[in-house]
Amino acid sequence: MDKKVLIVCETGISAALFVSKFMEKARDMNADWLVDYSPIHRLEKKLSQEDYEAIVLSPQVVRNEEKVRQLIEQYSHPCKILWISEKDFAYMNIDHVYEEVRRFKCE
């Protein structure tokens, strides 16, 4: 597995199409990625079960940034937090978000 990516949204409903298209893009690019998603209220459970290199947050969860950072620190995840811009989310700019995830390296 090259990368483990978790896409987080407010309730899980709003990001369903975005996640589906992101997974399709990863498959089309032959990326060996585990792509998972979670509503914000299940984030702690997800982090306790898997080590993700990238946590990609939808615009709706911006207000939970501190909570996300605390959970990452609590579970000692060496991951990067990436924010999906409102414009990329609204227009389903999957290519741009995919490239952002592809380019970073965990340290």
Side-chain angles (χ1 to χ4, degrees):
M1 196 67 42
D2 187 34
K3 282 190 181 168
K4 295 178 185 174
V5 179
L6 179 64
I7 300 174
V8 182
C9 62
E10 188 71 31
T11 64
I13 297 167
S14 60
L17 181 58
F18 193 93
V19 169
S20 176
K21 290 190 172 291
F22 188 89
M23 292 170 77
E24 183 179 319
K25 175 72 175 182
R27 275 192 307 272
D28 289 349
M29 299 302 292
N30 295 316
D32 187 22
W33 295 0
L34 167 71
V35 179
D36 200 358
Y37 71 97
S38 175
I40 191 73
H41 70 272
R42 286 201 215 136
L43 180 59
E44 184 170 8
K45 183 176 181 182
K46 289 285 189 179
L47 292 177
S48 71
Q49 296 172 339
E50 191 73 58
D51 288 328
Y52 296 96
E53 284 85 19
I55 297 181
V56 181
L57 301 174
S58 70
Q60 298 92 333
V61 297
V62 169
R63 68 178 179 270
N64 294 297
E65 179 178 8
E66 187 59 34
K67 175 183 178 180
V68 171
R69 291 188 188 283
Q70 288 172 351
L71 288 171
I72 288 170
E73 188 174 309
Q74 177 182 341
Y75 289 97
S76 300
H77 283 276
C79 62
K80 178 170 177 132
I81 297 174
L82 300 167
W83 296 96
I84 303 171
S85 73
E86 288 184 28
K87 184 177 179 181
D88 284 345
F89 193 76
Y91 292 106
M92 294 285 159
N93 191 354
I94 302 301
D95 292 339
H96 182 252
V97 176
Y98 175 86
E99 281 303 311
E100 285 192 35
V101 173
R102 186 188 65 76
R103 277 186 263 150
F104 83 86
K105 299 277 188 231
C106 281
E107 298 176 10

